[in-house]
């Protein structure tokens, strides 16, 4: 079980796109593990777009009919067992709201035989007739030295790591959310131009690697409605290989409301040929915290709640799924009194998210 989890970046101020980004658009994504798949699975659909309030249309997403995998292990499950053993029934009922939902499994390091772990995950999910969600989070200079800093030591190490992870999924269905925050950080200026250009190439190579595996659906992270405006995010997604992915992912580990994400995603889709998307609804039940200085807007903010349970039946023609990509109850970082480092279990916050009065 991955112990790493994404934390959100600080509130960002818009920056002009560097000239290097325009050059990157000409490079395209590197043809590594080249297999672009048939045209019917490409991101563009040219279909009608719903408004931000959604529609009553039958679901038409690329994940329709894919039951999401519920793991029987993990930090939430461990905590639930401890609470039940201690007879703390009220708290156990609250944590059960987290532990019994399908959540993403994070792959963020080379420890613990990550490829074998991925292979076990897809086999277990397949045996249950379900489909796992993997969050892939290992790019060099990850999180720009923030709470979740780390990642591969260089581009070559990242390519090898992604290749092994993609190969481990062979023969199984899986949903891959690719590199939360990566494109947005390249746009908003926390990386030098050369590093940003390399990041786009690596993202494109990773898209190709996972796209080469039949049965795998790839969604490239596209941030959230408050970070990078759609007109600046769309060219970054193109540079990162969005045309070869199955769509993009929004709100990973953030708290923006589902309607706001759909509005932003619809705007992005209109700039990207009708691309589909998924939304992380794990902690957006009360929407975002009030905007404030520092980390408190995004790092374990108080007063948040679980959002719509994971489902591929969204009723929105462009929204393939509502997913719990950030695992509720795992810390965003040691940014507040008593909060553990990013990815560690935070019991008090888990109970708050699940609506327990504490």
């Amino acid at each position: 079980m991955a112990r790493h989890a994404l934390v959100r970046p600080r509130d960002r101020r818009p920056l002009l796109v560097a000239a290097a980004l325009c050059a990157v658009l000409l490079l395209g994504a590197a043809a590594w593990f080249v297999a672009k798949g048939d045209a019917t699975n490409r991101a563009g659909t040219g279909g009608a777009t719903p408004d931000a309030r959604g529609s009553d249309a039958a679901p038409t997403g690329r994940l329709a009919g894919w039951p999401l995998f519920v793991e029987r292990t993990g930090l939430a499950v461990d905590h639930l067992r401890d609470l039940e053993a201690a007879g703390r029934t009220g708290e156990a009922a609250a944590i059960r709201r987290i532990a019994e939902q399908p959540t993403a499994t994070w792959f963020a390091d080379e420890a613990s035989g990550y490829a074998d772990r991925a292979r076990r995950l897809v086999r277990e999910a397949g045996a249950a007739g379900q489909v796992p969600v993997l969050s892939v989070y290992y790019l060099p200079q990850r999180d720009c030295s923030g709470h979740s800093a780390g990642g591969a030591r260089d581009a070559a190490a990242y390519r090898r790591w992604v290749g092994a992870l993609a190969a481990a999924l062979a023969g199984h269905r899986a949903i891959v959310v690719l590199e939360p925050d990566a494109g947005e950080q390249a746009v908003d200026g926390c990386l030098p131009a050369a590093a940003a250009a390399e990041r786009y190439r690596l993202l494109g190579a990773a898209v190709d690697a996972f796209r080469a595996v039949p049965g795998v659906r790839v969604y490239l992270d596209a941030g959230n409605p408050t970070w990078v405006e759609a007109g600046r995010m769309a060219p970054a997604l193109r540079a990162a290989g969005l045309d070869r992915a199955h769509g993009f992912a929004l709100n990973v580990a953030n708290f923006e409301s589902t309607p706001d994400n759909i509005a932003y995603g619809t705007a992005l889709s209109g700039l990207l040929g009708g691309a589909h998307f998924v939304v992380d609804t794990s902690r957006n039940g009360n929407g975002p915290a009030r905007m404030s200085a520092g980390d408190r807007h995004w790092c374990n903010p108080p007063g948040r709640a679980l959002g719509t349970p994971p489902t591929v039946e969204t009723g929105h023609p462009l929204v393939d799924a509502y997913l719990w990509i950030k695992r509720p109850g795992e810390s965003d970082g040691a940014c507040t009194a008593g909060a553990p480092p990013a990815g560690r279990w935070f019991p008090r916050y888990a109970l708050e998210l699940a609506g327990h009065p504490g």
Side-chain angles (χ1 to χ4, degrees), residues 217-277:
R217 299 290 182 265
V218 186
Y219 292 85
L220 191 61
D221 187 77
N224 69 76
T226 67
W227 192 351
V228 177
E229 58 269 27
R232 297 173 65 226
M233 195 66 232
L237 290 170
R238 291 194 196 96
L242 190 278
D243 65 313
R244 304 188 302 282
H246 294 89
F248 55 90
L250 295 177
N251 206 47
V252 174
N254 214 297
F255 305 86
E256 302 301 320
S257 73
T258 299
D260 285 352
N261 275 285
I262 292 174
Y264 178 68
T266 300
L268 263 180
S269 178
L271 298 172
L272 294 166
H276 286 210
F277 56 97

Side-chain angles (χ1 to χ4, degrees), residues 311-337:
T311 180
V312 298
E313 304 295 328
T314 69
H316 292 270
L318 291 177
V319 184
D320 288 349
Y322 299 135
L323 303 174
W324 284 11
I325 301 170
K326 169 68 179 184
R327 301 169 74 92
E330 295 185 7
S331 177
D332 291 314
C335 51
T336 55

Side-chain angles (χ1 to χ4, degrees), residues 1 4 33 64 70 89 100 118 124 141 149 152 175 191-192 194 203 215 217 222 249 256 312 314 327 330 334-335 347:
M1 178 65 59
H4 298 269
F33 282 98
V70 180
T89 57
E100 294 184 350
E124 183 179 351
Q141 302 184 60
I175 301 163
L191 293 173
L203 286 169
R217 299 290 182 265
E256 302 301 320
V312 298
T314 69
R327 301 169 74 92
E330 295 185 7
C335 51

Side-chain angles (χ1 to χ4, degrees), residues 35-38 41-42 206-213 218 244-246:
K36 296 184 179 179
D38 61 270
N41 283 332
R42 286 184 178 276
V207 168
D208 290 337
F210 289 109
R211 186 60 194 262
V213 184
V218 186
R244 304 188 302 282
H246 294 89

Side-chain angles (χ1 to χ4, degrees), residues 1-7 75 104-112 117 135 137-138 142 147-151 161 325-327 330-331 341-345:
M1 178 65 59
R3 298 302 185 188
H4 298 269
L6 175 67
V7 297
L75 300 179
T105 300
W106 286 70
F107 289 83
D109 55 40
E110 293 188 82
S112 304
R117 185 162 58 87
S135 182
Y137 189 50
Y138 195 55
R142 185 179 67 199
H147 284 287
S148 290
W161 184 87
I325 301 170
K326 169 68 179 184
R327 301 169 74 92
E330 295 185 7
S331 177
R344 302 283 182 86
W345 186 250

